[in-house]
Amino acid sequence: MFRNEGPHAAPAASLSSGLLGFLAFMAGATVANLYYSQPLLAQIATSFQITPDRAGLVTVATQIGYAAGLLFIVPLGDGREKKRLIVTTTALISGTLLLVAFSPDFSILLTACLLMGLVTTVPQLLVPYTANLAAPARRGRAVGFVMSGLLVGIILSRALSGFGAFLGWRVIYAIAAGAMALCAALAARLLPRQPPAGPATHKALLLSLVALWRQEPVLRLHAFLGAMGFAAFNSFWTPLVFHYARLFPGDASRMVGITGFIGVTGALAAPLSGRLSERIGARGINGAFLALVLAAFLVLWRAGDSLLGVAIGAALLDAGVQGSHVSNQTRIYALGATARNRLTALYMTAYFVGGALGSFVGTLAWQEARWPAVCASGAVFALAAQARLWGSRRNDPGIPAMPPR
């Protein structure tokens, strides 16, 4: 199903280095909105006089909203002109960020975060947009480069909001709203139009998701791997500010910021994973990066009471999760050009459902048994991914270990 490259395979020459750089920047700038809250959770808890586990619902609501947006908005890219969709959703992000910034009570804040997550689909519109522009031989590297920008955005968002916490969490979100308005204007000016392979109604695109999920065992496999990897990622990052509040009273947000800056080194894994997945195959590369996730949680368990230990563990974790993520995407984008937005929707919906699960489990683990339980929960998610990956050859014998050439 959907094996042909279709009309989007040709315009590789239009993907200049400058355009690729802007796509990477925009992916990072937009995805950052999903993560500003994590260093600010303690401040939000104080602002609304709630417990840490309730404050953690801010992250959960954002990720649930994002998962819904991936499922219902991203598939539109296979039946609509992609530039207009990207510009429109970026402008909507700006509006919802203002709603977050001016939320008068916690219930409205959760609703605003849910809506903000719903429209923050731009990063996952940009990835298939990039894949359609890139030549097949360079697709993994192009996707990996945009994913590097996305990862830098994730990590620097924590660093920026951590260091900017003295401004107040509301000011952080108001500044982010202005940044999104600027990104929408730049995208309208710089992005080339990218019409769909053929027009399709929203209903038809959504209904086709069921058939696509059933017919593609490769998609089901990598969706599970991505979900478990992101669950491990968020089971660490969401409760980290509470761990730092115990280690560094009064300075937790800044410590998360420092950890975020150090963790930027993990961005190097994204383009490396894309290149190696093209040359070697996704299965072995994926297993190696998932092993790195397990190693990260071992470091975090053994050395988690020091800033250096947590920073090293965070860098390993970010590299492992993002390397696995790019390997997953390289594999599913080889399934065909005409369905890339729907493939992205299904994969990333699973990915962020896993992320919401990890945020919930990580916060609960912290509440019940502190740091050792947080590390254990992350390791369990990584082990589940490894078990599914290495059992896939036996359980799904039709899945090749190498990506199609």
Side-chain angles (χ1 to χ4, degrees):
M1 185 176 182
F2 304 117
R3 303 293 172 179
N4 63 301
E5 285 299 309
H8 294 309
S14 63
L15 186 58
S16 65
S17 57
L19 178 58
L20 184 59
F22 175 72
L23 291 169
F25 166 79
M26 192 170 176
T30 50
V31 80
N33 300 299
L34 302 173
Y35 299 93
Y36 287 130
S37 67
Q38 289 180 344
L40 302 172
L41 289 178
Q43 196 176 103
I44 291 172
T46 301
S47 178
F48 292 105
Q49 297 183 337
I50 55 177
T51 59
D53 58 322
R54 285 201 69 200
L57 292 175
V58 169
T59 302
V60 174
T62 301
Q63 289 165 353
I64 289 174
Y66 190 51
L70 291 167
L71 189 61
F72 292 105
I73 295 177
V74 172
L76 288 172
D78 285 332
R80 301 287 190 277
E81 198 281 309
K82 293 176 177 60
K83 173 182 177 176
R84 178 179 296 179
L85 188 59
I86 290 167
V87 172
T88 301
T89 50
T90 305
L92 288 173
I93 295 170
S94 180
T96 58
L97 285 167
L98 286 175
L99 184 59
V100 172
F102 292 101
S103 296
D105 60 50
F106 189 64
S107 61
I108 293 177
L109 175 64
L110 289 182
T111 303
C113 287
L114 188 72
L115 292 174
M116 185 264 288
L118 181 70
V119 296
T120 307
T121 56
V122 172
Q124 303 312 323
L125 293 171
L126 291 172
V127 174
Y129 180 92
T130 303
N132 287 343
L133 289 176
R138 299 182 60 84
R139 185 172 297 131
R141 277 165 281 186
V143 168
F145 190 79
V146 173
M147 287 302 303
S148 293
L150 190 149
L151 175 57
V152 170
I154 292 173
I155 297 171
L156 287 185
S157 66
R158 300 189 187 97
L160 293 173
S161 63
F163 281 107
F166 71 93
L167 296 171
W169 66 270
R170 295 182 187 275
V171 175
I172 297 295
Y173 279 102
I175 293 171
M180 287 300 96
L182 178 61
C183 280
L186 289 172
R189 182 176 179 83
L190 298 177
L191 295 186
R193 288 174 53 83
Q194 193 178 98
T201 66
H202 196 187
K203 181 179 178 180
L205 290 168
L206 292 178
L207 289 175
S208 71
L209 294 176
V210 178
L212 185 59
W213 180 263
R214 288 177 176 172
Q215 296 179 29
E216 295 292 358
V218 172
L219 172 62
R220 296 195 300 271
L221 167 64
H222 290 284
F224 180 82
L225 299 182
M228 291 298 98
F230 200 44
F233 186 84
N234 275 1
S235 70
F236 160 77
W237 277 107
T238 301
L240 178 61
V241 69
F242 302 119
H243 179 55
Y244 275 163
R246 181 179 65 85
L247 295 178
F248 312 105
D251 206 21
S253 293
R254 192 171 69 89
M255 292 299 105
V256 174
I258 292 172
T259 305
F261 275 123
I262 296 172
V264 169
T265 56
L268 298 174
L272 176 64
S273 176
R275 288 193 295 270
L276 292 177
S277 293
E278 290 171 345
R279 296 176 183 177
I280 300 173
R283 186 186 304 272
I285 296 304
N286 221 324
F289 279 114
L290 289 171
L292 197 60
V293 174
L294 283 172
F297 281 107
L298 178 61
V299 172
L300 291 167
W301 173 59
R302 296 287 294 177
D305 283 344
S306 72
L307 177 60
L308 179 61
V310 174
I312 292 172
L316 293 174
L317 177 62
D318 289 352
V321 170
Q322 295 304 321
S324 173
H325 181 43
V326 172
S327 178
N328 291 331
Q329 289 186 307
T330 299
R331 190 67 185 88
I332 66 169
Y333 287 150
L335 297 176
T338 60
R340 284 197 181 115
N341 277 77
R342 282 167 286 169
L343 291 166
T344 299
L346 289 166
Y347 171 77
M348 291 303 301
T349 298
Y351 192 77
F352 270 82
V353 167
L357 175 65
S359 292
F360 175 77
V361 170
T363 304
L364 184 63
W366 170 259
Q367 191 79 2
E368 297 298 323
R370 298 298 189 257
W371 192 244
V374 170
C375 297
S377 65
V380 167
F381 287 129
L383 285 170
Q386 284 279 21
R388 178 69 179 91
L389 176 64
W390 296 113
S392 62
R393 187 185 296 274
R394 180 182 69 254
N395 297 330
D396 300 310
I399 299 176
M402 297 284 285
R405 299 288 179 180

